[in-house]
Amino acid sequence: MLNVHNLSVSFGGEYLFEEISFRLNSGNRVGLVGKNGAGKSTLLKMLNRDMALDTGVIAVEKDIKIGFLRQDIDFVQGRTVLDEAYQAFEEIKKLELKLDEINHQLAERTDYETDSYSQLIIDLNDVSHHYEILGGYNYQGETEKILQGLGFRREDFEKKTETFSGGWRMRIELAKLLLQSNDVLLLDEPTNHLDIESIIWFEQFLNTYTGAVVIVSHDKMFLDNVTNRTIEISLGRIYDYNKPYTQYLVLRNEIKQQQLNAQKNQEKEIQAAERLIEKFRAKSTKASMAQSLIKKLDKIERIEVDEDDNSVMSLRFPISVTPGKVVVEIEQLSKAYGSNSVLSDINLLIERNSKTAFVGQNGQGKSTLAKIIVGELQHEGHLKLGHNVQIGYFAQNQAEYLDGSKTILDTMIDAANEKNRSKVRDILGSFLFRGDEVEKYVKILSGGERNRLALAKMLLQPFNVLVMDEPTNHLDIKSKNVLKQACLNFEGTLILVSHDRDFLQGLTNKVYEFKDQRINEYLGDVDFYLEQRKVENFRAIEKKQALVVEKTKPKESNSFQDQKKIKSLKNQLSSVESKVSSLEKELKAIDHDLLVDYEKTIQKPNFFDTYQAKKNKLEKLMQNWESLTIDIESMG
């Protein structure tokens, strides 16, 4: 289907990859892996002919259709979800216009006996036949099926695309791609904006797809469930094996060990030959033998061992002063918006140097409690931070915590102090932001780059308690490993909100499961927790929950869609939380000013109108939160 031969790409005089060759055949589902910056997305763009080749050839069989899921999309405003999805059927839509035009002429004209009228009848039959062959009478039903599989509900179909978040628009783009009957699919991080239910549906779709697929993904479980071949780009070379990702890693390690053993044996032979050469060289009777050995050594092809590229980033979290034995003490903590309770009577004690995981389904309060601990949300009940506690916080929605109008360098300089400002460029270099890259604006960075910048920024301020909310989102597989090692080496207290089992394995010594406004404690790591829950992974928990919801709902209800809606409300809830927190702080400051100097405070222009407007806005936000969370609660 597609053949790549001696393809090379260089930037700034350095090769991204050099003279790589491989072939894609029908049925190949390739996991394209490698560290950030290795050239994965560049290779996809070249396969799609979006970028010119430096050297080499990409040969594509005649009539092969290639579909490419990009990370940057641009929709025409005013189209509904269905209208945008129908753009996948460009030829069918053209035929529909042609059919409408022919039918309109037939209805308007009365010259039934003329040759031109007869030709219209012939054209109508021809176009209708072509329309049927292309699936014109089935495409609407197929479109609805794909959209529902990716999490859209029927009531979403007529909504304008601009009313959806970037993640949901990406799902529409993915739906269009799956509807186009392409022979080759090029997918760049397709699961970034999918919840577990949609990922499971997408896996089933790909496993029955007969064409070739090339997938860039950092989700190991997704790669293992979907791919049958792995191509890794590393240090300008590719490693290509007909194995899914985890099996490929085992195989490559075995091959590397064989190379090491062969290299050691060869080195022993070379050293033995060199000793004989030195011994015989001084003797005239043995000189010819020495020359023969020298020629033999020159002809030996030295065995090379594949290099591993672990230059993702250098990460070691700084530690500040030693805190008290108890770093976080929580008693009867509750968080409610209006009449709706998110957390109820939570009791929690986090001790110094402990490593704790917060797990559970979306919407159960994990991120809420993390934000309460770091002081971003107000609450009811008692929360006390221990003596000398200094918190470092990695937020899930990093985009909202980084100023898009600043450059990478300015972001770091503004966060630095006098002691470490001179080290900013060195820190950025260790996170792979080198040379002119530091002048990039934050707003154009990818998700993985933003996460790396956020991690680099954390190194500027020492802390002894680290709170991280879904830190592995957008990080490549090797970067996840580096981050995990940094968390293992961190000498302070760690609180992790995550759904990534591979990342959590062996990392924490206590797990709290969030469910039904409460938390349940498990004294062990994530494997112990899953063993106690009698499941193999977080996906199994999601599936069990979905099954329970399905059994308890009326038949006309759709548990798949309800699970999807819960996920889709997550960004809205997070946004409302942030706005409420900000308003509460503003009102608290105003109330403090009123207590300190009432007369001076009320003399500010339009004080009472502004004050009341803030209160009204807060009330509406709380009502909005209540409505959203009631919807979630009603769906289980």
Side-chain angles (χ1 to χ4, degrees):
M1 297 181 76
L2 187 151
N3 189 44
V4 176
H5 181 66
N6 287 343
L7 182 64
S8 299
V9 178
S10 61
F11 291 101
E14 292 187 7
Y15 279 104
L16 198 57
F17 40 78
E18 186 175 10
E19 294 187 351
I20 64 172
S21 299
F22 62 91
R23 179 176 177 81
L24 282 181
N25 296 311
S26 182
N28 285 164
R29 295 192 297 276
V30 179
L32 183 61
V33 301
K35 72 179 184 68
N36 288 335
K40 303 185 297 295
S41 295
T42 298
L43 180 56
L44 290 189
K45 290 175 183 177
M46 289 187 163
L47 294 177
N48 197 54
R49 303 297 175 90
D50 285 357
M51 287 181 65
L53 313 181
D54 283 3
T55 61
V57 176
I58 298 178
V60 182
E61 291 179 11
K62 188 179 178 181
D63 297 327
I64 291 295
K65 293 175 62 179
I66 298 176
F68 182 25
L69 180 68
R70 296 175 176 84
Q71 290 300 307
D72 51 334
I73 55 174
D74 186 22
F75 287 168
V76 175
Q77 287 203 352
R79 286 179 182 162
T80 66
V81 171
L82 272 181
D83 289 338
E84 186 62 46
Y86 288 158
Q87 300 308 306
F89 304 97
E90 184 177 354
E91 193 171 355
I92 287 178
K93 300 301 287 184
K94 286 180 180 178
L95 290 176
E96 283 184 341
L97 291 175
K98 201 166 185 179
L99 285 171
D100 287 343
E101 182 184 344
I102 293 173
N103 282 316
H104 179 72
Q105 289 188 50
L106 289 173
E108 293 289 327
R109 292 174 58 168
T110 57
D111 55 334
Y112 308 121
E113 305 300 326
T114 64
D115 291 342
S116 61
Y117 191 89
S118 298
Q119 186 60 47
L120 280 178
I121 299 295
I122 295 171
D123 291 344
L124 178 64
N125 289 332
D126 289 344
V127 174
S128 297
H129 181 63
H130 191 194
Y131 183 75
E132 183 177 4
I133 290 174
L134 292 177
Y137 299 110
N138 303 318
Y139 80 93
Q140 293 179 336
E142 187 65 20
T143 300
E144 293 183 10
K145 177 183 174 183
I146 295 292
L147 286 172
Q148 286 180 307
L150 291 172
F152 289 93
R153 307 203 318 177
R154 287 190 175 277
E155 51 264 40
D156 295 329
F157 291 169
E158 298 303 324
K159 293 178 181 177
K160 298 289 193 293
T161 58
E162 56 263 32
T163 64
F164 290 87
S165 67
W168 281 96
R169 288 198 293 272
M170 186 63 74
R171 294 190 193 209
I172 300 172
E173 189 69 14
L174 179 57
K176 287 162 61 178
L177 197 67
L178 302 184
L179 288 164
Q180 284 171 353
S181 300
N182 293 295
D183 302 294
V184 179
L185 290 178
L186 308 176
L187 306 174
D188 195 355
E189 293 287 1
T191 62
N192 267 2
H193 301 288
L194 301 181
D195 61 11
I196 290 173
E197 291 297 323
S198 296
I199 289 174
I200 292 170
W201 176 89
F202 190 38
E203 288 174 353
Q204 293 169 347
F205 179 95
L206 291 177
N207 283 326
T208 58
Y209 180 70
T210 57
V213 187
V214 182
I215 305 167
V216 173
S217 178
H218 303 141
D219 185 335
K220 288 193 285 186
M221 184 175 289
F222 176 71
L223 289 174
D224 283 342
N225 288 342
V226 168
T227 63
N228 54 23
R229 180 178 171 190
T230 300
I231 296 178
E232 179 179 7
I233 304 177
S234 178
L235 297 173
R237 298 179 58 188
I238 65 167
Y239 301 90
D240 185 358
Y241 293 95
N242 291 321
K243 299 286 183 183
Y245 183 73
T246 299
Q247 293 180 36
Y248 158 74
L249 288 180
V250 173
L251 181 60
R252 189 179 169 193
N253 285 335
E254 290 175 354
I255 292 171
K256 185 178 178 182
Q257 191 59 50
Q258 291 171 3
Q259 290 174 337
L260 283 168
N261 294 336
Q263 187 185 59
K264 287 178 182 178
N265 291 334
Q266 186 186 64
E267 191 61 35
K268 288 178 182 178
E269 293 175 7
I270 292 171
Q271 289 174 0
E274 287 174 342
R275 285 194 296 270
L276 287 174
I277 291 169
E278 289 300 318
K279 182 179 179 180
F280 296 153
R281 182 177 284 166
K283 299 179 180 180
S284 57
T285 57
K286 302 290 186 180
S288 61
M289 185 178 292
Q291 288 300 316
S292 176
L293 286 171
I294 290 172
K295 289 179 181 178
K296 184 178 179 182
L297 278 183
D298 289 340
K299 291 179 180 179
I300 289 179
E301 186 175 340
R302 302 297 175 109
I303 295 172
E304 295 183 358
V305 178
D306 295 338
E307 293 183 60
D308 284 330
D309 186 358
N310 291 315
S311 61
V312 180
M313 56 185 176
S314 176
L315 179 57
R316 189 175 184 89
F317 293 115
I319 190 75
S320 61
V321 296
T322 302
K325 184 178 179 181
V326 176
V327 296
V328 180
E329 182 180 0
I330 294 174
E331 292 181 358
Q332 295 183 319
L333 182 144
S334 298
K335 178 62 181 176
Y337 290 85
S339 61
N340 189 69
S341 178
V342 183
L343 297 169
S344 179
D345 290 331
I346 301 298
N347 295 294
L348 181 63
L349 193 71
I350 297 178
E351 296 183 337
R352 180 179 62 217
N353 298 338
S354 63
K355 288 182 168 58
T356 304
F358 289 175
V359 303
Q361 289 183 305
N362 292 324
Q364 294 294 329
K366 306 185 301 296
S367 296
T368 296
L369 186 57
K371 290 178 181 179
I372 289 172
I373 290 173
V374 302
E376 285 208 354
L377 289 177
Q378 293 187 353
H379 58 89
E380 294 180 1
H382 175 76
L383 183 146
K384 181 181 178 182
L385 297 181
H387 178 64
N388 277 340
V389 166
Q390 297 174 356
I391 296 179
Y393 178 45
F394 184 96
Q396 179 181 358
N397 50 336
Q398 278 302 316
E400 295 181 18
Y401 288 82
L402 297 172
D403 188 344
S405 64
K406 291 183 180 179
T407 65
I408 293 172
L409 184 59
D410 288 340
T411 297
M412 290 290 285
I413 289 175
D414 292 347
N417 54 40
E418 293 298 327
K419 292 182 179 179
N420 56 29
R421 191 164 285 124
S422 62
K423 300 178 181 178
V424 160
R425 282 188 176 271
D426 290 337
I427 294 173
L428 285 174
S430 70
F431 280 79
L432 306 183
F433 296 114
R434 295 165 183 156
D436 294 339
E437 286 188 347
V438 301
E439 300 300 335
K440 284 183 179 179
Y441 282 96
V442 171
K443 61 186 175 185
I444 68 170
L445 298 180
S446 67
E449 289 172 322
R450 279 200 193 99
N451 274 20
R452 280 196 277 127
L453 177 57
L455 288 168
K457 188 178 173 184
M458 293 186 75
L459 302 192
L460 296 171
Q461 302 296 334
F463 43 81
N464 49 36
V465 177
L466 177 56
V467 180
M468 307 191 87
D469 191 356
E470 300 290 2
T472 60
N473 282 355
H474 302 290
L475 288 182
D476 62 52
I477 293 169
K478 290 187 176 179
S479 294
K480 287 183 186 181
N481 293 337
V482 173
L483 176 59
K484 181 173 181 176
Q485 192 59 48
C487 289
L488 285 168
N489 294 336
F490 181 55
E491 297 175 356
T493 306
L494 182 66
I495 300 173
L496 281 172
V497 179
S498 180
H499 66 277
D500 189 330
R501 175 181 179 176
D502 290 322
F503 181 70
L504 290 176
Q505 270 182 323
L507 186 51
T508 63
N509 49 36
K510 190 178 291 185
V511 173
Y512 285 101
E513 181 187 40
F514 286 63
K515 187 178 181 183
D516 299 332
Q517 305 173 35
R518 306 282 183 175
I519 60 174
N520 298 313
E521 183 182 67
Y522 294 84
L523 299 175
D525 72 350
V526 66
D527 286 337
F528 174 77
Y529 157 70
L530 292 171
E531 180 184 329
Q532 294 297 302
R533 294 283 269 109
K534 293 182 173 58
V535 292
E536 293 183 1
N537 50 55
F538 293 137
R539 290 185 178 203
I541 292 176
E542 293 280 351
K543 286 181 176 179
K544 285 177 69 175
Q545 181 65 22
L547 185 61
V548 171
V549 172
E550 182 68 29
K551 286 181 177 179
T552 56
K553 284 188 175 184
K555 288 185 179 180
E556 64 270 21
S557 178
N558 189 328
S559 66
F560 177 91
Q561 300 301 332
D562 288 342
Q563 290 293 320
K564 179 63 209 82
K565 184 173 181 179
I566 292 173
K567 178 69 175 178
S568 71
L569 293 174
K570 180 180 179 182
N571 289 337
Q572 297 177 52
L573 291 170
S574 178
S575 176
V576 170
E577 276 186 348
S578 179
K579 291 175 182 177
V580 167
S581 175
S582 177
L583 273 176
E584 285 178 339
K585 289 177 181 177
E586 290 178 25
L587 288 169
K588 186 176 180 180
I590 294 172
D591 291 339
H592 178 266
D593 291 343
L594 287 170
L595 286 172
V596 173
D597 193 336
Y598 179 81
E599 292 298 331
K600 182 180 178 181
T601 303
I602 65 173
Q603 288 175 5
K604 294 178 181 179
N606 301 320
F607 169 76
F608 286 107
D609 290 342
T610 303
Y611 185 49
Q612 189 58 45
K614 289 181 183 293
K615 284 191 169 185
N616 292 340
K617 187 176 180 181
L618 178 61
E619 185 177 351
K620 287 181 180 179
L621 282 170
M622 293 179 72
Q623 289 173 353
N624 187 18
W625 175 268
E626 182 177 358
S627 175
L628 292 170
T629 49
I630 285 175
D631 286 344
I632 293 174
E633 186 177 319
S634 67
M635 292 184 290

